[in-house]
Amino acid sequence: MDVTGELLQTIETYKLFEPGDRIVVAASGGPDSTALLHLLFLLSGSGGWQLAVAHANHGFRPSESAMEAEFVRRQAERLGLPLFYRELDVPGYLQRHGGNPQEAARRLRYDFLEEAARDWQAEKIALAHHADDQAETVLMRILRGTGISGLGGMSFVQDRGGLKLVRPLLRMQKNRLLRELERLNEDYMTDSSNARTKYTRNRIRLETLPFLSQHNPSVVQALNRLAHVAAADDDFLEGEARRKVAQMAREGPGEVRFSGQAFSGLHVALQRRFIKLILNYLFGTTENLDFAAVEQIRWGLLEEGAPNRRMTVSGRVYLDREYDAVRLGKSPASDGPRDYVYPLDAAPGQIALAEPGGRLEMAIGPAENMAAEAAYSCEARFDAEELVFPLQLRNRRPGDRMQVDGLNGSKKVKDIFIDDKVPRSRREHTPVVTDAGGAIIWIPGIRRAGAAKVTNQTKQIFRIRYSPPPDG
């Protein structure tokens, strides 16, 4: 089947476009979006669609960007299609909001596409992601550590603010698109930044996938099959979890209530999704509540021998369990003190701590670089390969003990505070850091355990730096 016929079959099978649709085609001037624009234009007559073109100038490569903008303008003019164009102020956005330049550009680009669609009264935005992009996405997520939802990769249709982002080329490999452009005698622009390996996706495309193809020449197809199967499984599990939430959960002011016993009877896959659905309801997103946070909530619900439990996770979620009655919410249920837990993954970053206040900074890097850094009083360095992640930063609790570096046996944290003459007013506000097994490995500014010590054999150092609040 030729490319046009396969695209038409995909559109009909997945009901991507309907007669009368107004579609904004995102066009960068590169081969992928150029192929998408011309293929949709060829099918628009029989499909009954109306097309417009949208081009965002990121300004990262001034001379190339100007040529790309002019190329897209001429393409739209030749096809007789309306053009929406915008120069994005990425530096200004970064100055106001911070973040990664590539992510900032992506956010601004999608905002522009959404505005263009609304201005043109379009229902759908067509994007040129193809099978190679899907393979890169799935592989990137695997390397970062993803669940089955992440393995599903990108979807054919994605809702965004009432509009639909449509990816008609998602099952088609790039080499077929290039051959089709050659057959159509259509030119395209080449983005020089795609050859720079400083970007993660580019390294995956230029280095990792070619290496993997030596072991499996069909690695792109294999990753796409994985995405296809995972997406179907994810859809089924999500539906099951939604049914369980509808059956078991009851909404309250700023919280959701359900039976702990009923929750414990769910399969672990449904337990995690059950929690994520509730968090998504409470916060509108789970973007800042990762797998470790979900697991901490799940452990709190399943822990035996503690029929009554109160805890805070990541400073945002509270869990109250009184025998079988469970409440999960985003604001304190009472003014009394609560346990808090912040999961810490093996990744660099900063966390603003609602409790106990202050900030936590984490870094990881080669020992030869980080060992030379100046140490701070509220800082600990560990052999990253000897730690068991995820770590946790939490409040001190009755009975806590620690294997202090240099001492045989363990010692009560309470006695450590007394021996170190830590003021009583400070003790309750001093957090502790534990490994995944619950062993305390560091009391910021006080003591560290003997675990995961940095030695001459250490290859990677994991550094934690705690900045207490001004009055801490």
Side-chain angles (χ1 to χ4, degrees):
M1 185 181 297
D2 62 17
V3 170
T4 306
E6 184 175 331
L7 176 59
L8 181 60
Q9 184 182 72
T10 298
I11 291 170
E12 292 175 345
T13 299
Y14 295 96
K15 298 180 173 57
L16 303 183
F17 304 126
E18 302 290 344
D21 277 351
R22 294 168 70 87
I23 306 165
V24 170
V25 183
S28 67
D32 309 336
S33 62
T34 299
L36 175 65
L37 175 60
H38 285 278
L39 288 168
L40 290 182
F41 182 77
L42 289 173
L43 294 171
S44 61
S46 58
W49 319 314
Q50 297 182 61
L51 304 179
V53 181
H55 177 75
N57 184 340
H58 301 91
F60 287 144
R61 299 161 289 109
S63 59
E64 285 187 27
S65 296
M67 289 189 291
E68 289 165 352
E70 176 59 20
F71 175 81
V72 173
R73 186 196 65 76
R74 285 188 278 106
Q75 290 282 306
E77 183 179 48
R78 179 161 64 89
L79 298 175
L81 302 176
L83 172 67
F84 293 86
Y85 172 78
R86 178 172 296 172
E87 295 183 3
L88 304 180
D89 182 16
V90 179
Y93 180 91
L94 289 171
Q95 188 174 18
R96 292 189 301 273
H97 304 282
N100 177 280
Q102 297 297 315
E103 180 58 33
R106 180 183 180 277
R107 186 182 298 274
L108 291 174
R109 180 171 67 253
Y110 276 83
D111 288 345
F112 158 64
L113 292 172
E114 184 177 338
E115 289 180 29
R118 296 193 188 284
D119 288 345
W120 199 56
Q121 297 182 330
E123 300 86 2
K124 296 171 182 177
I125 300 168
L127 305 174
H129 298 116
H130 47 69
D132 297 62
D133 293 324
Q134 181 77 302
E136 293 164 12
T137 298
V138 172
L139 190 53
M140 285 172 64
R141 292 179 180 178
I142 290 173
L143 294 175
R144 290 172 181 167
T146 188
I148 191 170
S149 297
L151 289 178
M154 296 177 285
S155 58
F156 274 113
V157 181
Q158 177 185 348
D159 288 327
R160 180 184 170 93
L163 298 170
K164 293 188 183 302
L165 304 180
V166 185
R167 301 179 176 92
L169 304 178
L170 206 53
R171 294 284 187 266
M172 200 171 296
Q173 288 190 243
K174 182 164 186 168
N175 56 10
R176 296 194 64 197
L177 298 176
L178 293 174
R179 289 197 297 269
E180 183 67 9
L181 286 172
E182 184 178 0
R183 187 187 71 81
L184 295 172
N185 198 29
E186 291 292 345
D187 199 4
Y188 54 86
M189 303 294 291
T190 301
D191 184 344
S192 63
S193 67
N194 286 337
R196 299 175 188 167
T197 55
K198 72 175 185 177
Y199 302 122
T200 301
R201 183 175 285 274
N202 286 4
R203 290 197 298 273
I204 295 290
R205 179 187 304 123
L206 300 174
E207 298 174 356
T208 310
L209 279 172
F211 172 76
L212 293 176
S213 68
Q214 298 176 27
H215 302 274
N216 179 3
S218 301
V219 64
V220 170
Q221 297 95 313
L223 288 168
N224 272 265
R225 283 195 302 272
L226 173 62
H228 183 65
V229 172
D233 290 353
D234 180 59
D235 183 63
F236 172 78
L237 288 170
E238 190 74 2
E240 289 296 299
R242 288 185 182 279
R243 279 189 283 275
K244 293 300 181 182
V245 169
Q247 292 170 7
M248 295 167 48
R250 297 293 178 266
E251 300 172 11
E255 64 182 24
V256 174
R257 305 177 184 185
F258 54 92
S259 161
Q261 184 177 3
F263 175 85
S264 65
L266 297 176
H267 188 280
V268 61
L270 293 180
Q271 289 176 352
R272 292 179 178 131
R273 288 170 182 268
F274 187 96
I275 294 169
K276 290 181 70 174
L277 285 171
I278 291 177
L279 296 179
N280 204 52
Y281 161 75
L282 292 171
F283 297 98
T285 179
T286 56
E287 183 177 346
N288 296 319
L289 294 162
D290 58 12
F291 175 80
V294 172
E295 283 297 273
Q296 185 63 40
I297 294 170
R298 195 171 71 85
W299 294 337
L301 287 166
L302 299 177
E303 184 180 4
E304 296 182 1
N308 299 313
R309 181 72 182 271
R310 297 192 304 171
M311 61 184 288
T312 301
V313 177
S314 298
R316 303 181 66 201
V317 186
Y318 74 79
L319 168 66
D320 269 3
R321 191 180 79 185
E322 297 180 356
Y323 298 99
D324 189 48
V326 175
R327 296 188 299 168
L328 199 61
K330 63 176 181 179
S331 58
S334 71
D335 295 329
R338 294 180 179 276
D339 293 344
Y340 61 83
V341 177
Y342 291 83
L344 311 176
D345 289 322
Q350 293 187 2
I351 302 174
L353 305 173
E355 311 119 331
R359 297 186 65 81
L360 198 71
E361 176 188 334
M362 293 158 290
I364 188 168
E368 60 267 24
N369 296 339
M370 299 186 68
E373 294 181 353
Y376 293 79
S377 60
C378 284
E379 176 181 298
R381 300 181 186 186
F382 300 90
D383 187 323
E385 295 179 353
E386 296 296 322
L387 288 174
V388 182
F389 290 93
L391 309 182
Q392 297 177 355
L393 180 138
R394 62 168 174 81
N395 61 300
R396 181 172 70 94
R397 296 172 187 170
D400 271 347
R401 303 184 70 90
M402 179 179 176
Q403 180 78 45
V404 180
D405 186 19
L407 295 180
N408 293 324
S410 63
K411 190 171 185 177
K412 286 184 179 180
V413 172
K414 177 182 177 180
D415 293 339
I416 293 174
F417 283 150
I418 293 173
D419 291 348
D420 284 31
K421 296 181 172 56
V422 178
R424 186 179 297 274
S425 60
R426 183 183 164 196
R427 296 176 194 173
E428 294 305 316
H429 299 285
T430 300
V432 300
V433 176
T434 75
D435 63 15
I440 296 176
I441 60 173
W442 184 44
I443 307 174
I446 310 295
R447 297 280 187 91
R448 66 156 286 164
K453 294 180 67 173
V454 174
T455 68
N456 292 334
Q457 283 72 47
T458 298
K459 297 178 181 178
Q460 289 276 315
I461 290 178
F462 184 72
R463 185 194 72 205
I464 317 176
R465 184 179 295 166
Y466 174 55
S467 301
D471 58 347

